Structures are given as structure tokens and as C-alpha cells.
């Protein structure tokens, strides 16, 4: 079974796991995790956490490089970013196509059921919930968690990556941006005057968190995507209270209900944009009715911060692959590369590389990035379209293209009334701004005189190779 412990064993085998003993969950654990992420260090597993029993552990920095993301996706021979990008070519479309073959498999028992608590016996306080950042409004138990909801109309199960603030032994406050599938599911129950059933897994194979953070088509469950990637159905256990499917290999899970008429304070919380973009707001709660955990449970932490942070690398790589495949699926020809830059907070600066084929091709590609399912339902700001001689992941090349191939009065288009969310830092609070704007910068050579555009000052590949062979020892 693919679970967090089997993944940690493999990561330890490649020398990228380190035990941290005795950290304080009040700021200290978060600072250590933040510094490690900035250094692209190993995965940290925090044990003997101050104020908690031994064996109640937290993992941070799980996927900070191509090798660990490759391993998470089942590619054990990946060592570089270029290898990962190449391997992901066309994979999102393939996983989506095959997902129907891998409905989750219901089982009657699993490791998560080693310890079971109901009603008055539920106590969330025994689990370490760090105060991750100095100005956070409370302790957050759910950061790398997977929130499990069901569409009451279609029955489709959704897995989403949302934040959960700990209030007391049996209550969590839930923050979900309004356009996300989990929020839509909860709102449907609330609109009927019903409590929304919710389950949460707090420790699992990191692939669950990767898929929960991606934009998967609404009609497909993330469980099916996980199954398509693993090549076999995911074993799940129907929760005894809600009936929602819980990963059988989960380290620690809960289930309960979100009443339509109860809100509690949530936030502020340092987010992936690098800001405290949302303040303290009244958010839905989860009233926890059941709690399950393995012996010596491990929580998967995913602390956001000013990028790069805990999950910015995998979000950048996976979203880039997802949007590239989406453009191809929508019929945009000759898309050579897409890259969502970590340094921008992932969503706010995107570069698309194309081989221009017709007038308007560059604008078409840029507008589609803003509006396609995979890219248009998240906050965004700038989309830059470049020629195929520019590496979209290399900011030096991208800035050169913007500076020398775009004419500001002709080559910048503004899309108004696009989606944005409550974490967007440029809007004043407490205003609830739901519309944003996006700029598409055409940094390609002008198509109508592309053949006459000045030649790039650069040696040809053939000439460079001849010289480098002759002088191959010079740059050792």
C-alpha cells in the first residue's frame, strides 16, 4: 500500500530525510521548516514535539526538489528539473483519460483504524498543531491535509487542500476560497439548510496532497487520479459517521459536519502568496464526531510562506504541466513550454513558449492560460508569451524577451473582471473583492515581420559544439 510511511522510507533511502528532536510547536518548528525550505533541504520529521507525547510527529519539506516529486509520482530515476518536465509531458491528459478505470476500492479495515474515538472521547488537542508564523491568529492542525467532501447532487467525491485552524477538542475552523470544489460542495448543503458532511486526512502519501492542490475536472474524483498514477485503485474505508471515503492508509483522520448556521473566527494565516492577505474572518466550522489514527501518527505539514516555501516547487511543476496539457487539449498548436514561477507565489507570473504559426497565435495562447480550467480558476496577474527559443523557466531569458520583443503600447492586453480570491494581497480589507484583472504580455517577435526581425547574437549549436569539443577541458 502506498502510504506516508512507505514514502518516507524511500526518501530516507536517497538520503533526504532528517529527524528533528524536541522542537517547540510555538514558532520554533515553523521557523526551522521555513529555513529548511529556503535551502531546498531534506524532509524534516519532527519527533518529541514539546508539549506532546512521543510518537506524535509532523513531517515538513516533503517535496522540495525534482527527485522527490518524481518519486512521489512513481518515477524513481528523476534527478533534474529538465528530466521531470520531460517525463510529465502529456501525463495529465493521460491520467485524466484513464481515471475512469480506477474508482476507489472500499475495504473494511486499514491502518488508520488502529485507534478509534467517537463523541465525547474525541480530543484533537493531543495532536501537535503548530503556530507556524509569528502573526498567525492561532494554531493550525491542517496544512498538508486533504479535506474530503461530496457533491450532494452528483455524488462525486472531492479532495481539496485547505487550511484548518484548531479551536478546541472537537472543533476546527475551515478556510476555502469560494471557487474551489470543496467550497461549492459545502455551500450546496448549507443552501438546503443541511449540515455538510466532511472528512479530513491529516497524514497520507504526499501524492494525495499534490492532487488535492491541483485543478482536477469537477466530474472526476482525485481518488481516481491517484489510482491512475499508481496504476491501481485506492483502498478507502467508508467513515462510520458520514460514509465519506477515508484513505485506508491514512495516519490520522476525522469526520464530522459543518452546520449551515455556525461560524467561528479563523486567521490571519501566512499564506503562499508571501503575505497575510486575509484577516480574521468568520468561517465555517467542522464539528468533529469521530477520530481515527495509527499508532505513532505522522501529520503531513505543508507550511506556506514567502516563496519558495514547502509546497511551491511541486505546485509550480504540476500546474505548469497541467496547463500545458490543457492548452494542447483545447487545440492551441505548438505549445513548447509553460512555467508558473515559484518566486511570484506560483499563480501570479506565468510564461508560455510557442512556435508562432499564424497571426494572433501568441495572444490566443496567453488568453487561454487566463481562462482555461487548469489556469483560470486561480488567482493570476501576468501571463507572458515568448517564442520557442526562450526557456519559459529561465527568468533571465524571459526578461530579455519582454524587454526587446514587446512594445508596451501594442503588446500588453488587460483582461478585466477575472477571478481572484480572498488571499489576493492587492485588495484592501475587509472588502470582499471577487473580481481581478490580468495582463497578457506578447513578448514574441512581431508575426507580421518575423522573418525580418533582427538576428540574435548567439553562436549556432553546430559551431559551439565544434569549439567545445576542441576546448572541452577549459571549463572543467
Amino acid at each position: 500500500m502506498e502510504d506516508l510511511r512507505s514514502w518516507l522510507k524511500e526518501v530516507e533511502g536517497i538520503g533526504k530525510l532528517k529527524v528533528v528532536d524536541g522542537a517547540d510547536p510555538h514558532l520554533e518548528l515553523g521557523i526551522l521548516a521555513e529555513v529548511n525550505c529556503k535551502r531546498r533541504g531534506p524532509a524534516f520529521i519532527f519527533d518529541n514535539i514539546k508539549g506532546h507525547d512521543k510518537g506524535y510527529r509532523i513531517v515538513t519539506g516533503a517535496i522540495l526538489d525534482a527527485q522527490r516529486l518524481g518519486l512521489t509520482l512513481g518515477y524513481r530515476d528523476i534527478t533534474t528539473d529538465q528530466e521531470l518536465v520531460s517525463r510529465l509531458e502529456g501525463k495529465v491528459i493521460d491520467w485524466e483519460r484513464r481515471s475512469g478505470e480506477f474508482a476507489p476500492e472500499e475495504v473494511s479495515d486499514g491502518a488508520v483504524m488502529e485507534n478509534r474515538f467517537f463523541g465525547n472521547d474525541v480530543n484533537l488537542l493531543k495532536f501537535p498543531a503548530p503556530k507556524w508564523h509569528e502573526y498567525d491568529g492561532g494554531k493550525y492542525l491542517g496544512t498538508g491535509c486533504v479535506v474530503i467532501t461530496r457533491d450532494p447532487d452528483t455524488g462525486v467525491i472531492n479532495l481539496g487542500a485547505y487550511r484548518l485552524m484548531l479551536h478546541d477538542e472537537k472543533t476546527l475552523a475551515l478556510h476555502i476560497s469560494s471557487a474551489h470544489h470543496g467550497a461549492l460542495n459545502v455551500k450546496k448543503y448549507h443552501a438546503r439548510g443541511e449540515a455538510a458532511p466532511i472528512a479530513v486526512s491529516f497524514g497520507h502519501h504526499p501524492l494525495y496532497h499534490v492532487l488535492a492542490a491541483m485543478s482536477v475536472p469537477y466530474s472526476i474524483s482525485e481518488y481516481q487520479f491517484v489510482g491512475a498514477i499508481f496504476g491501481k485503485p485506492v483502498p478507502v474505508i467508508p467513515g462510520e459517521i458520514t460514509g465519506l471515503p477515508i484513505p485506508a492508509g491514512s495516519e490520522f483522520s476525522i469526520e464530522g459536519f459543518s452546520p449551515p448556521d455556525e461560524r467561528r473566527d479563523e486567521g490571519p494565516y501566512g499564506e503562499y502568496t508571501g503575505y497575510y492577505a486575509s484577516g480574521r474572518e468568520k468561517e465555517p466550522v467542522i464539528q468533529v464526531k469521530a477520530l481515527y489514527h495509527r499508532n505513532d501518527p505522522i501529520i503531513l505539514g505543508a507550511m506556506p510562506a514567502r516563496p519558495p516555501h514547502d509546497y511551491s516547487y511541486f505546485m509550480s511543476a504540476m500546474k505548469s504541466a497541467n496547463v500545458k496539457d490543457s492548452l494542447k487539449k483545447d487545440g492551441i498548436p505548438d505549445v513548447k513550454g509553460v512555467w508558473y514561477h515559484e518566486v511570484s507565489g506560483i499563480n501570479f507570473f506565468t510564461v508560455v513558449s510557442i512556435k508562432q504559426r499564424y497571426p494572433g497565435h501568441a495572444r490566443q495562447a496567453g488568453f487561454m492560460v487566463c481562462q482555461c480550467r487548469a489556469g483560470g480558476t486561480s488567482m493570476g496577474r501576468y501571463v507572458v508569451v515568448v517564442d520557442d527559443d526562450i526557456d519559459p523557466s529561465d527568468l533571465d531569458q524571459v526578461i530579455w524577451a519582454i524587454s526587446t520583443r514587446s512594445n508596451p503600447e501594442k503588446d500588453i492586453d488587460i483582461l478585466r473582471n477575472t477571478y481572484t480570491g480572498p488571499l489576493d494581497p492587492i485588495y484592501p480589507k475587509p472588502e470582499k473583492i471577487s473580481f481581478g484583472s490580468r495582463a497578457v504580455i506578447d513578448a514574441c517577435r512581431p508575426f507580421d515581420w518575423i522573418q525580418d526581425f533582427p538576428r540574435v547574437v548567439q553562436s549556432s549549436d553546430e559551431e559551439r559544439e565544434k569549439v567545445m569539443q576542441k576546448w572541452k577541458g577549459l571549463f572543467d
Side-chain angles (χ1 to χ4, degrees), residues 397-418:
Q397 295 186 39
V398 172
I399 297 301
W400 177 66
I402 293 173
S403 303
T404 61
R405 300 183 186 182
S406 68
N407 183 342
E409 69 171 345
K410 296 180 179 180
D411 294 326
I412 301 177
D413 290 300
I414 306 296
L415 280 71
R416 293 173 172 83
N417 292 329
T418 60

Side-chain angles (χ1 to χ4, degrees), residues 464 466-476:
R464 186 185 304 110
K466 285 193 296 185
V467 172
M468 293 306 293
Q469 283 297 322
K470 179 179 177 181
W471 294 89
K472 58 184 177 183
L474 184 62
F475 299 104
D476 291 344

Side-chain angles (χ1 to χ4, degrees), residues 7 48 51 57 64 97 101 103 114 218 303 381 392 406 410 472:
W7 184 89
N48 288 319
R57 297 165 288 172
L64 300 180
R97 179 183 58 80
E101 305 170 20
E114 288 178 341
Y218 193 63
M303 171 189 165
R381 197 86 78 225
S406 68
K410 296 180 179 180
K472 58 184 177 183

Side-chain angles (χ1 to χ4, degrees), residues 317-334:
M318 295 303 296
K319 187 158 189 173
S320 299
N322 196 12
V323 170
K324 183 179 180 182
D325 280 358
S326 182
L327 294 178
K328 288 186 172 183
K329 187 178 179 182
D330 291 335
I332 308 299
D334 287 299

Side-chain angles (χ1 to χ4, degrees), residues 360-373:
H361 187 185
R363 295 301 212 282
Q364 183 187 41
F367 295 157
M368 284 300 294
V369 169
C370 296
Q371 298 300 328
C372 71
R373 171 190 53 77

Side-chain angles (χ1 to χ4, degrees), residues 124-125 127 129 139-141 164-168 171-173:
L124 297 173
L125 300 180
F127 297 90
K139 300 176 180 180
Y140 278 80
L141 185 61
L164 292 166
M165 180 176 170
L166 180 64
H167 269 270
D168 55 46
T171 312
L172 297 161

Side-chain angles (χ1 to χ4, degrees), residues 332-335 354-366 385:
I332 308 299
D334 287 299
V335 176
I354 65 168
K355 175 72 173 177
Q356 291 190 80
R357 294 300 185 186
Y358 46 80
H361 187 185
R363 295 301 212 282
Q364 183 187 41
V385 187

Side-chain angles (χ1 to χ4, degrees), residues 413-435:
D413 290 300
I414 306 296
L415 280 71
R416 293 173 172 83
N417 292 329
T418 60
Y419 173 77
T420 191
L423 301 183
D424 194 329
I426 68 168
Y427 292 105
K429 303 301 184 230
E431 293 182 33
K432 294 290 188 179
I433 302 296
S434 57
F435 294 101

